[in-house]
Structures are given as structure tokens and as C-alpha cells.
Amino acid sequence: MARRDTRAIGLAALLVLAASAARAGEGYGIGRPATAAEIAGWNIDIDRAGDNLPPGRGSVDRGRVVFAEHCASCHGAKGEGALGDQLVGGQGTLATAKPVRTVGSFWPYATTLFDYIRRAMPQNAPQSLSNDDVYAVAAFILNLNGLLPADAVLDAHALPAVRMPNRDSFVGDPRPDVR
Amino acid sequence: MTDDDTGAATRPPSRREFLRASGAMAGGAVAGGLAGRAAAAEPAAPDAANLPPNVPEWMKAPGEPMGNEPYGTPSVYEKGVVRNISKTLKQYISASGRTPLQDLDGIITPNGLFYERHHGGVPTIDPAQHRLMVHGLVERPLIFTMEDIRRFPSQSRIHFIECSGNPVYTRPYGKTASDLVGLVSCAEWTGVPLKTVLAEAGLEDGARWVVAEGADAAALTRSVPIEKCLDDAMLVYSQNGERLRPQQGYPLRLLLPGFEGNMNVKWLRRLKVTTEPAYSREETSKYTDLMPDGTAREFTFHMEAKSIITRPSGGQKLTVRGFHEITGIAWSGHGKIARVEVSVDGGHDWQTAELQEPVLTRALTRFRLPWHWNGEPAMIQSRAVDETGYVQPTLQELLAVRGSNHFYHNNAIWPWRIDAAGEVTNGQA
């Protein structure tokens, strides 16, 4: 088995290898290289800056059509929720006795909308929508929440520019917070 | 499904029903005096011909032949011990089912009773077609087969996994221990330390998070701090000695001891090393904790110290006065359980319970306290203290800080009320 090159290994990995002194500087030679094409096919993560958003574009108008066809049966015609989560409304409710957590009232990043719709929705056929239609559905949901005008079109440049109202309301973990 | 659908008259009695029936025959001295909730459906009384001084019928003829059951299942008298699954959920694709904690002993959850939480159903994955991809800030992006994963040096460790919403803060509060905190289970896991696999790929500068993704229909995604990945995180393929059940991520699962359940990504197919978290839906809009002022806590990973008395507990009944062992489970995502205290007088006095060895880090720990019930109403409860000195709080203490919209990470003390008839109910209800 070929000895693996660890010259440029990061600090964290050095710590790992230090904890495993018997094999320091040597890997197991297990696994095979992942090709760029293989990674591109699987890496569907969109971070909060919109990195890795694909080419394509979708309008609020097109999103209305796609939403009615694929989303409304669970989320309601206007995203009011049913079997699926409520997607619209709730702004101003988070500090009340009955908070309504929706895309518009709670989600901190618009880019997550693309990521989640593409990977998990519609629930009966995830990863089936075209990138254009994912942009379009995201645009329609943001429009329903009053966060995009009716004539808006989203793409890899426009989506990360949408500023979500609840973006700055997330805090870290302060626990233990009791006793 | 439970046996309720088939009619009580034709189903075999559960163990507790059987014991209760035996106790009725023998004046309660034999049964130990604790009945389960299902005991209302009284089975036929056992044939006196099987009781002393007679020789029972099952000794008078050979039993079932060896090999009758290639994969063993519990006794027909245990058919009532199944996962606690609500029949009234809106849907069952993104849903959970609970472990019947009040019917189990020890610290290991049988694989068939391990709690379930899925976000896109349970996929059926051919292990020969499953791959793990490691990429991002690594020197060598790699793809592993399951055969590859199993070639790495292996480890076995016992850890609990607990859903972060176990239970929520709002009424109605559950009736049984399972209703309340049945989204926790514990197993011996076998796999490879994640740090071994990451070292194989070689971390690059800037590696601060690892984004894990499942091969389910939710492609569930959570970001894990690199410190955890290089500490006790594992990639596991076996649970209690056998391969993972499909409901637990077959063929490969990320195990993050002490971290909230959904981060232990099942059906693991991809690990991306990054500088920033993914800010996925699950870690922004879903598993975040709303505070009274409208802010929300994010990346609340640890499950804090917790305990529950499982016997006697809600839905059970003390049928006789006298000796009863109080027993339950305690656990902490921050390490070992240092102490469990039990009160039998509504929280006025607390006694130290005995801990069953081994007491393991981030594992269920069984506690016991001998008790004599004098037949009067009582309120019993347990509180765990972990090795960091953290003390399990009351529900009122949690609500005072977090409010009732918090939803996740409720580790409150849960008292059980015992009335003069011996009926055990939720003390918060």
C-alpha cells in the first residue's frame, strides 16, 4: 500500500496524528480519490453567502406556477401551511406567546431556501426540480412574504442579496443558563 | 401497530399483565405489586394446574425445535413492549417514534426499540452501492465504499442518542416515561473514529467545520465543529453487535456523543470540510431555540444532564404496600453522571441513589433506590448531577429563563404522583 504524503497536513490533523503516535505521518491507504465531477454531482450545499449557487434564474411569476403544481398541496395555495409547514407570515410574532416561525419571520438567510428546496422538496420527489424552478419557487415564497417585488427574478447573484428580516436575531449557546 | 387492534381477548398477555394475574391468584405476594397501564385488559387467569405443587404443562412435552426462528424475537408474552408511536400525527415521513423506557431494564436499548426520528422517511440502501465522500478543505478528496470503511481500525463504545425535543415545554405533558422522554436510547456502537478518516484525507488550513449529509430524501445536513470531529466523533456501522438498523442509518451513521440527535446524521454519504457552517435549514430555522425576547439560540449542540424514574412511573400502579425499588436512567451530554438524587416527598428531602456500574461517559446510567411505600400519596422524582457539577433543573427553573417557546433542550426534572390507590401519574399535569 502506498505511503501517503502528509507534509502539508494541517495543525488539527497533526494533533490527531500526535494522538496516534504509532502511525504518525502515515495513512492507511484506504479509499480512492474523488474526481471533480463526482464532487460536483454530490456537493449541493449552498452556504449563507450563496457560494456554489448554480447557473439559472427564476421569476416570481414562474414560481407561482411551480408552487401551485408541486408545493401548494402541502403548504397551502399561499404558503399558509397545512400538512407542510407554514411558509408565509408571522413577522412580529417571535416574541409573543404564539410565535409563528416561517421563512419570512424566522429564516436568517435566503440562500438556505434554495439549498433546502433543492435537496428536500417537494417531499415526494426531492431533487426533481430544475435549478430554474428552484430559483422561481424561492422567489415566489419571498414575494409572498413581502421580501421581493412581484416582478423580481432570482439568480446566483440576486438571491444572496435578499436580506432576511430576522437575520440578526440568532445568538450562540450560552448554556448552562439555569443554576 | 399495537395489539389493541386485534382485540384483547385473543392476544397473549403482556409480562406485566401476566404478573398481575399471577399476583391476583397468589394474593399479591408473588407479583411484586407493580402493574402496567395495559393491565386493564385482564387475561384469563393462569391454569392452577401449572402452579405449585403441580408440574407446568411446558415441562411435559418438548418445546419449539432449534432453528424455528432464524432471527430471534421476544416472547409472545412481550408483544406489548413496542415503540411508542402516535396514531394521530399529520404525517409519518418526517416524524418520530419513542422507546418504551418504562418497560426496559439496564442501559442498553434493544435495536428494535431504539427511538426513531426521520426527516424524509427511511431509505432502503444497498451497502454495495453506498459511498462516503470526503471533500472540501482536505488535501485528498476521497470516496470510500462500506468495505473501505470497515477496513479502518475499529472501536466500540456505548453512548446514548437523544432527540433535542424530548419533551417540549408546553402542555399537555406526557402520561408515561416514554411519552415524556422516550426520544432517548443507548447502544454499543462500532465503527471508526472520524478523526482517523479525516486524517486519511488530510485537513487543510481553515478547516473549522465538517458538514455532514445523509443519503435520505431530506439529504439532511448538519455542520459539526472540527473540535468534536477530532475528539470522540465516530462513523458507525454497527449497533449492539449487528449492523445498523435501517431506521438508525444503515449502512453508515455519524455518531456525535452527547450532541442532539439530529446531528448524528444517518445514512451518511458526505463530509465536507469547511471554514463556516452550512447554515442549513435544520441548523437555522428548525433546531434553534426561541427565547422570550424573540431571539433564537443556534448551534445548541449538547444535551444537558437529565434523569427520569422509569419504575414506578406514569401509567403503572402499585398494587401492594411495602417494598418497591425506585429505578430509572440518567445521562449527560457533557460526560459521566456523578450522582443521582431521588426525592419521595415532593422535593423536600433528597437521597442519593445507587448507580449501576459501569458508569460511562455520555451513556445512560441506571440508578436505583430501595423504597417502602406506606400506602399514602407520594410524589417521587429524580435529579441528575453530572461530572461538571451541573444539576438537572426543575421545569419551572427552565421556563423562567427560556420561556415556553423554547421547544428544544428541555431537561427538566419530571415528578410522578402516586395516589392512595397506587396509581402513578405525571406530577406536572
Side-chain angles (χ1 to χ4, degrees), chain A residues 1 4-17 19-20 23 26-35 37-49 51-52 81-85 93-103 106-109 111-113 115-116 119-123 125-127 166 168-179, chain B residues 90-91 93-94 119-120 131-135 139-144 148-149 151-153 195-196 199-200 202-205 207 211 213 216-221 226 230 269-270 272 276-282 284-304 383 390-394 397-398 401-402 404-409 413:
Chain A
M1 205 57 62
R4 289 199 181 275
D5 181 0
T6 56
R7 283 171 302 183
I9 206 152
L11 172 63
L14 280 173
L15 291 171
V16 172
L17 291 171
S20 182
R23 298 177 294 90
E26 185 177 340
Y28 293 96
I30 296 175
R32 68 163 176 83
T35 69
E38 287 173 325
I39 295 170
W42 276 24
N43 178 18
I44 56 173
D45 303 345
I46 309 299
D47 68 13
R48 61 178 173 173
D51 184 47
N52 204 32
L83 193 59
D85 288 350
T93 67
L94 297 182
T96 70
K98 292 199 172 170
V100 180
R101 293 161 54 143
T102 74
V103 173
F106 196 63
W107 287 42
Y109 303 108
T111 46
T112 306
L113 199 51
D115 177 278
Y116 185 67
R119 75 172 58 245
M121 291 290 133
Q123 194 179 60
Q127 304 202 43
N166 199 45
D168 294 330
S169 295
F170 289 83
V171 298
D173 183 357
R175 296 175 304 159
D177 55 346
V178 179
R179 294 200 191 199
Chain B
K90 283 200 292 186
Q91 47 81 28
I93 298 298
S94 178
H119 297 76
R131 297 291 183 273
L132 174 69
M133 178 184 287
V134 179
H135 70 109
E139 296 170 344
R140 294 170 295 278
L142 293 172
I143 288 179
F144 300 100
D148 292 334
I149 297 288
R151 280 182 60 212
F152 280 109
K195 60 189 173 188
T196 302
E200 191 74 10
L203 293 178
E204 292 187 333
D205 290 344
V211 181
E213 179 188 76
D216 58 335
L220 186 127
T221 307
I226 196 72
L230 298 180
R269 77 158 191 167
R270 193 160 64 89
K272 180 164 79 172
E276 271 219 331
Y279 291 98
S280 69
R281 178 257 190 178
E282 313 301 340
T284 53
S285 76
K286 183 67 180 170
Y287 294 106
T288 46
D289 312 310
L290 199 53
M291 295 295 289
D293 65 358
T295 63
R297 294 175 179 173
E298 63 181 357
F299 303 121
T300 46
F301 303 135
H302 286 88
M303 301 307 296
E304 294 182 292
R383 69 180 176 205
Y390 176 87
V391 180
Q392 182 183 7
T394 65
E397 288 169 328
L398 284 168
V401 174
R402 300 177 183 174
S404 57
N405 295 338
H406 205 73
F407 204 87
Y408 299 110
H409 295 286
I413 293 169

Side-chain angles (χ1 to χ4, degrees), chain B residues 237-260:
Chain B
Y237 39 75
S238 285
Q239 175 182 359
N240 294 333
E242 64 181 0
R243 298 292 184 269
L244 294 172
R245 294 291 173 90
Q247 295 82 0
Q248 300 306 327
Y250 182 88
L252 188 66
R253 172 177 209 167
L254 179 62
L255 181 73
L256 303 174
F259 277 22
E260 62 181 20

